[in-house]
């Protein structure tokens, strides 16, 4: 890959957009090897793992199961397995890059160091789509569980006009807007406080989901899984591509690179623990849910897991517990997903790819306060007005594109910088990165054409921003950082 010409020397358009940021500069800016940096380093393996689990468990199980089962039938279990295999392959690639480039920004930063500025910017755009839309998607589903809880406890629910977005029978999803506001206020206080609250929500949600599994298996009927794959391989693939956005937590872990202690060790460990916990919980709940009720009943079922428990027990308390668990856990998912998006913008702002406004850190709190306010406003508006299934597919697209780039980045960095210190190396190289890329591309191919159209519009807007602003204002263009050499 060609490096950029020295600062001040004329360059061709191709060389300009392919300039790379030196890894030594990335590591020095973050303070990864000195324990310093602009953000406060307060997270260890346990808290970081909880951030990953917190941004993942809740999304695919509490909400998307009811969207995915009608697409695949009982074979949705295979869809979760496909998504898990893809995530596991990519996790190995993430672990290597995270241990080599332990900074904030996740796959955006990895792409900037390996594949060049334009590709990095587009990956950043995918991540912003991934995080912003994922947070909105989860916030949309929060209203369902809040209404289920209110109905069971006080016999009253928020009117449909103010608890669902336009297109799903409502005018405005007010609970979603309230949820995002609460997450914004907590994130402004600091990463450590947010991580502590998130850890509490993770423990609650895991306990509630294990309760669901225990109760649902008492009503397990094999006939509920018949026919197993009514829509064939196409249905399994379509459901897998939808539920894949549930694995966003792995990327969220790597966005915290500048807020963890001993990042070269902490990041890979947290990624592996996150994948193991999430996959186990997803498969247990999916199998238990499919066995507890006919798969046809999932379609149009609000607060699905709570409804299943209510039908099984004939009593209200298990459903109340599950609905309360959904309310708490979805809060945690929204919190950590918004956190991830603010850290992507923080890194892009430092690089001059977006206005430096997003890189500003509050002197006392040491958090990007103004960045967090802007992100929360965007997420809140999106959650209040856009239907869930549209948001889920868009998030899957952004996630899969970012994961593809990370897997390719491992190969590029092994070839161009074999001497770099790596806290972890992908086993089975280069087969594992190649399989990861192939699996991601397969899941992308299963998304509906409307998702490709919306994604193309988003990428078009990103390209317009890059060529009118970022290419001229990036730190590399301004000479603030010397580009990497081949």
């Amino acid at each position: 890959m060609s490096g950029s010409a020295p600062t001040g020397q004329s360059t061709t358009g191709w060389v300009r957009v392919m300039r790379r940021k030196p890894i030594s500069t990335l590591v020095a800016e973050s303070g990864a090897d000195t324990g310093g940096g602009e953000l406060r380093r307060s997270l260890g393996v346990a808290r970081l793992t909880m951030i990953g689990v917190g941004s993942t468990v809740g999304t695919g199980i509490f909400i998307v199961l009811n969207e995915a089962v009608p697409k695949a039938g009982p074979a949705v279990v295979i869809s979760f397995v496909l998504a898990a295999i893809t995530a596991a392959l990519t996790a190995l690639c993430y672990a290597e890059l995270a241990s080599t480039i332990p900074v904030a920004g996740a796959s955006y930063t990895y792409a900037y160091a390996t594949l060049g500025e334009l590709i990095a910017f587009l990956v950043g755009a995918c991540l912003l789509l991934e995080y912003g839309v994922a947070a909105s998607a989860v916030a949309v589903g929060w209203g369902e569980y809040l209404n289920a809880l209110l109905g069971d406890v006080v016999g009253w629910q928020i009117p449909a006009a103010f608890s669902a977005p336009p297109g799903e029978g409502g005018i405005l999803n007010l609970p979603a807007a309230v949820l995002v506001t609460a997450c914004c206020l907590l994130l402004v206080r600091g990463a450590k406080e947010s991580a502590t609250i998130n850890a509490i929500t993770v423990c609650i949600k895991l306990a509630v989901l294990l309760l669901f599994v225990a109760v649902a298996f008492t009503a397990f009927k094999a006939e509920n899984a018949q026919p197993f794959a009514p829509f064939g391989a196409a249905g399994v693939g379509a459901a897998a591509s939808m539920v894949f956005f549930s694995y966003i937590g792995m990327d969220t872990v790597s966005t915290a690179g500048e807020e963890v202690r001993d990042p070269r060790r902490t990041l890979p460990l947290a990624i592996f623990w996150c994948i193991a916990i999430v996959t186990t919980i997803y498969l247990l709940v999916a199998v238990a849910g499919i066995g507890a009720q006919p798969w046809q009943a999932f379609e149009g079922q609000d607060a699905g897991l709570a409804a299943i428990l209510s039908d099984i027990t004939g009593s209200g308390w298990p459903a109340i517990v599950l609905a309360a668990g959904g309310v708490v856990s979805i809060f945690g998912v929204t919190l950590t997903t918004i956190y991830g998006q603010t850290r992507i913008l923080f890194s892009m702002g430092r690089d001059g790819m977006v206005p430096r406004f997003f890189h500003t850190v509050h002197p006392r709190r040491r958090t990007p306060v103004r960045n967090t306010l802007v992100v929360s406003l965007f997420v809140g508006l999106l959650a209040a007005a856009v239907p869930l299934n549209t948001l889920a597919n868009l998030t899957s697209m952004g996630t899969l594109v970012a994961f593809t780039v990370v897997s390719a980045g491992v190969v590029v960095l092994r070839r161009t910088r074999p001497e770099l210190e790596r806290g972890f190396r992908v086993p089975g190289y280069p087969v594992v990165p190649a399989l990861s890329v192939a699996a991601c591309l397969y899941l992308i191919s299963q998304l509906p054409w409307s998702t490709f159209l919306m994604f193309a519009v988003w990428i078009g807007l990103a390209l317009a921003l890059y060529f009118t602003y970022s290419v001229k204002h990036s730190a590399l263009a301004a000479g603030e950082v010397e580009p990497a050499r081949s």
Side-chain angles (χ1 to χ4, degrees):
M1 183 181 293
S2 300
S4 295
T7 305
Q9 181 177 321
S10 63
T11 59
T12 64
W14 173 251
V15 172
R16 284 202 302 169
V17 302
M18 293 304 293
R19 56 197 170 198
R20 292 173 287 121
K21 190 169 182 180
I23 293 173
S24 58
T25 301
L26 288 166
V27 174
E29 286 177 343
S30 71
D33 293 331
T34 63
E38 296 171 275
L39 303 176
R40 180 179 290 116
R41 292 190 177 277
S42 58
L43 305 176
V45 174
R47 276 202 175 106
L48 189 58
T49 300
M50 289 298 187
I51 286 177
V53 175
S55 65
T56 306
V57 175
T59 309
I61 290 300
F62 281 97
I63 301 172
V64 177
L65 196 60
N66 292 90
E67 300 283 341
V69 172
K71 293 181 179 293
V76 74
V77 175
I78 305 300
S79 301
F80 275 105
V81 171
L82 286 175
I85 291 172
T86 304
L89 290 170
T90 312
L92 295 171
C93 299
Y94 260 95
E96 176 165 329
L97 290 186
S99 71
T100 310
I101 316 172
V103 303
S107 42
Y108 155 74
T109 302
Y110 307 152
Y112 210 168
T114 59
L115 301 175
E117 185 173 278
L118 175 59
I119 295 176
F121 184 84
L122 293 178
V123 170
C126 290
L127 289 172
L128 294 179
L129 178 71
E130 170 188 337
Y131 283 99
V133 176
S136 303
V138 179
V140 168
W142 190 68
E144 295 179 7
Y145 278 88
L146 181 62
N147 257 347
L149 181 62
L150 290 173
D152 289 335
V153 174
V154 299
W156 175 85
Q157 293 186 336
I158 301 170
F162 298 104
S163 61
E168 292 189 352
I171 299 173
L172 181 72
N173 193 327
L174 186 59
V178 171
L179 171 63
V180 172
T181 301
C183 291
C184 174
L185 294 174
L186 184 56
L187 286 169
V188 164
R189 287 187 58 83
K192 183 177 181 179
E193 293 83 354
S194 300
T196 299
I197 295 297
N198 171 68
I200 294 171
T201 69
V202 168
C203 292
I204 292 172
K205 80 173 74 176
L206 292 181
V208 167
L209 288 173
L210 289 175
L211 169 67
F212 170 82
V213 170
V215 175
F217 269 123
T218 65
F220 190 93
K221 296 179 181 177
E223 56 264 31
N224 286 337
Q226 300 298 327
F228 183 69
F231 307 109
V236 172
S241 63
M242 170 176 278
V243 303
F244 191 78
F245 94 96
S246 304
Y247 286 90
I248 191 176
M250 185 170 58
D251 197 271
T252 308
V253 169
S254 60
T255 65
E258 294 182 36
E259 291 166 280
V260 300
R261 300 184 297 271
D262 190 10
R264 294 187 189 279
R265 171 184 174 275
T266 301
L267 288 167
L269 283 175
I271 288 170
F272 292 140
W273 277 113
C274 174
I275 287 296
I277 294 170
V278 165
T279 300
T280 301
I281 290 294
Y282 278 9
L283 289 178
L284 281 173
V285 174
V287 171
I290 288 293
Q293 74 172 12
W295 65 268
Q296 296 91 338
F298 282 88
E299 187 165 11
Q301 189 178 51
D302 286 342
L305 301 190
I308 291 173
L309 281 193
S310 181
D311 290 341
I312 291 172
T313 63
S315 103
W317 73 263
I320 291 174
V321 170
L322 197 80
V327 168
V328 172
S329 69
I330 292 171
F331 173 85
V333 176
T334 309
L335 176 72
T336 51
T337 307
I338 294 176
Y339 166 84
Q341 187 176 35
T342 62
R343 272 44 181 184
I344 298 295
L345 278 170
F346 175 82
S347 295
M348 295 181 76
R350 176 167 57 200
D351 294 334
M353 305 285 263
V354 295
R356 305 281 179 150
F357 168 92
F358 291 101
H359 181 238
T360 303
V361 176
H362 191 279
R364 182 170 59 86
R365 300 185 186 280
R366 293 181 69 185
T367 58
V369 172
R370 289 186 286 181
N371 175 344
T372 303
L373 293 174
V374 172
V375 167
S376 299
L377 178 62
F378 169 77
V379 169
L381 291 174
L382 204 60
V386 182
L388 172 61
N389 58 350
T390 301
L391 293 172
N393 284 329
L394 267 176
T395 306
S396 289
M397 175 66 87
T399 305
L400 286 163
V401 169
F403 283 12
T404 301
V405 170
V406 167
S407 302
V410 169
V411 178
V412 172
L413 203 59
R414 285 277 192 106
R415 293 175 64 88
T416 59
R417 298 295 304 277
E419 81 287 357
L420 285 174
E421 177 187 352
R422 291 169 168 83
F424 173 84
R425 287 178 175 267
V426 173
Y429 174 88
V431 175
V432 168
L435 288 174
S436 177
V437 170
C440 289
L441 293 177
Y442 166 73
L443 292 181
I444 288 173
S445 72
Q446 301 302 301
L447 290 166
W449 69 267
S450 57
T451 301
F452 281 88
L453 179 61
M454 288 184 286
F455 185 71
V457 171
W458 177 259
I459 292 298
L461 293 173
L463 286 171
L465 176 60
Y466 177 77
F467 285 110
T468 58
Y469 179 88
S470 305
V471 75
K472 304 171 187 176
H473 292 84
S474 75
L476 296 183
E480 298 172 20
V481 176
E482 190 73 13
R485 303 284 189 264
S486 295

